[in-house]
Amino acid sequence: MDISGSKIELLARLMNASSLRGRVIAGNIANQNTPGFKRQEVQFEDSLREALASGNPRAMARVTPELTVDELSPASPDGNNVNMELEMNSMRENRLTYETYATIMETNLALIDTAIRGGRS
Amino acid sequence: MSGLERLFGGMRTTSMGLSAERTRMDVIAENIANARTTKTANGQPYRRQVVRFEPLVEKDKHGQITSMGVRAAEVLPDLETPMERIYDPANPDAVDGFVTMPNVSATREMADLVTAMRAYEANLKVQENFSRMAERALRMAR
């Protein structure tokens, strides 16, 4: 049982990235009717996965959520490339991911709590 | 910036989306209301108004640009759509039997209104989503 908090810190970072993504999606949806607007994305999990695979703890700590502008998705004639169906889907997906992280974190905290109490409630 | 602050930031972004869309709906309502106004204060027939939207951007300390929301930057007269001249000698504003009508098309305004309403609803959904995420995060502290 690891109570050093590294797992919890990782989960907190994942939740942070998820809330940033939520914010970016909100920006995309708010700008669905702004001519010339290009949708934005948050890259985090992929870079984190690579860092995890490398096994280097310092590389893992360096990974931060990165914002990119999506210039590739097809744009409508006014130059806006926000696809509402996709954004709404990403939003739901993002919320569920966030709630999953929160649940895992909660379980972990409960386990530490049990360990501290020595199994007595 | 903390996670919860980001969630609240997202909520602010959607509220900006809501108010921008509402401005658009107000302008559409004004256009429809004036669809038959042949003489305004300046003596000209009513000219249709359009809203220009503008994304609000924020630069963080790494120079990375995030969109912060949207705002209805300005309301401009539609100078592109031509005004129609119709024959209506009974109209008090008629000149030689012809009246220049406003360049408002009810069909077009209604289509725009539906788009604005859908966008408004979408923004509301996003806001609900954020409050659920924040509630979930708070529940961990119980």
Side-chain angles (χ1 to χ4, degrees):
Chain A
M1 174 83 207
D2 165 32
I3 60 161
S4 68
S6 67
K7 201 171 185 180
I8 285 164
E9 198 224 307
L10 180 66
L11 283 164
R13 282 170 67 197
L14 283 164
M15 283 175 80
N16 261 335
S18 182
S19 48
L20 175 66
R21 179 171 295 126
R23 191 171 180 193
V24 167
I25 295 169
N28 290 344
I29 293 175
N31 281 293
Q32 60 180 302
N33 288 320
T34 308
F37 181 82
K38 296 278 179 276
R39 62 181 294 271
Q40 299 177 326
E41 284 174 331
V42 174
Q43 312 282 352
F44 182 62
E45 285 82 353
D46 287 344
S47 354
L48 189 67
R49 190 175 300 129
E50 272 169 39
L52 277 172
S54 76
N56 180 354
R58 232 176 289 157
M60 246 175 69
R62 265 204 305 271
V63 179
T64 48
E66 210 172 311
L67 253 161
T68 51
V69 177
D70 177 3
E71 306 268 2
L72 299 171
S73 294
S76 62
D78 67 0
N80 184 310
N81 67 352
V82 177
N83 178 332
M84 270 312 285
E85 290 78 16
L86 262 171
E87 297 301 335
M88 291 309 266
N89 179 59
S90 315
M91 183 191 81
R92 294 218 169 87
E93 209 177 291
N94 187 54
R95 196 190 77 221
L96 291 172
T97 315
Y98 187 85
E99 288 182 357
T100 309
Y101 294 148
T103 309
I104 299 173
M105 200 193 241
E106 220 169 37
T107 315
N108 267 287
L109 290 170
L111 280 174
I112 294 172
D113 200 42
T114 312
I116 292 171
R117 287 170 203 271
R120 289 184 296 267
S121 58
Chain B
M1 199 179 353
S2 78
L4 212 54
E5 179 52 34
R6 271 180 190 150
L7 289 180
F8 294 146
M11 286 170 88
R12 280 194 290 275
T13 302
T14 54
S15 66
M16 277 186 257
L18 287 171
S19 83
E21 294 299 341
R22 199 169 43 76
T23 308
R24 197 150 78 111
M25 288 192 265
D26 289 347
V27 169
I28 293 169
E30 200 177 313
N31 285 343
I32 295 174
N34 283 297
R36 299 195 69 80
T37 305
T38 46
K39 199 173 199 169
T40 55
N42 63 7
Q44 295 292 311
Y46 177 80
R47 199 172 270 285
R48 147 171 209 269
Q49 307 281 309
V50 280
V51 183
R52 192 171 66 81
F53 276 22
E54 195 179 68
L56 286 176
V57 291
E58 177 191 59
K59 225 180 216 174
D60 68 3
K61 54 184 182 292
H62 310 294
Q64 222 173 37
I65 292 170
T66 332
S67 95
M68 283 278 295
V70 65
R71 69 186 185 114
E74 48 188 339
V75 180
L76 300 159
D78 175 3
L79 301 170
E80 299 294 318
T81 316
M83 297 203 185
E84 205 187 344
R85 266 165 67 84
I86 60 161
Y87 183 66
D88 182 11
N91 193 308
D93 293 326
V95 179
D96 300 331
F98 282 95
V99 193
T100 312
M101 296 302 287
N103 57 353
V104 176
S105 146
T107 323
R108 184 178 184 178
E109 297 303 329
M110 288 314 281
D112 279 355
L113 183 62
V114 173
T115 322
M117 271 163 63
R118 292 289 169 267
Y120 191 88
E121 283 165 16
N123 275 296
L124 265 184
K125 275 260 179 294
V126 180
Q127 204 158 40
E128 256 167 54
N129 182 72
F130 276 124
S131 70
R132 276 166 77 171
M133 277 167 81
E135 275 166 26
R136 182 67 189 85
L138 287 173
R139 228 190 309 152
M140 286 199 308
R142 279 200 314 209

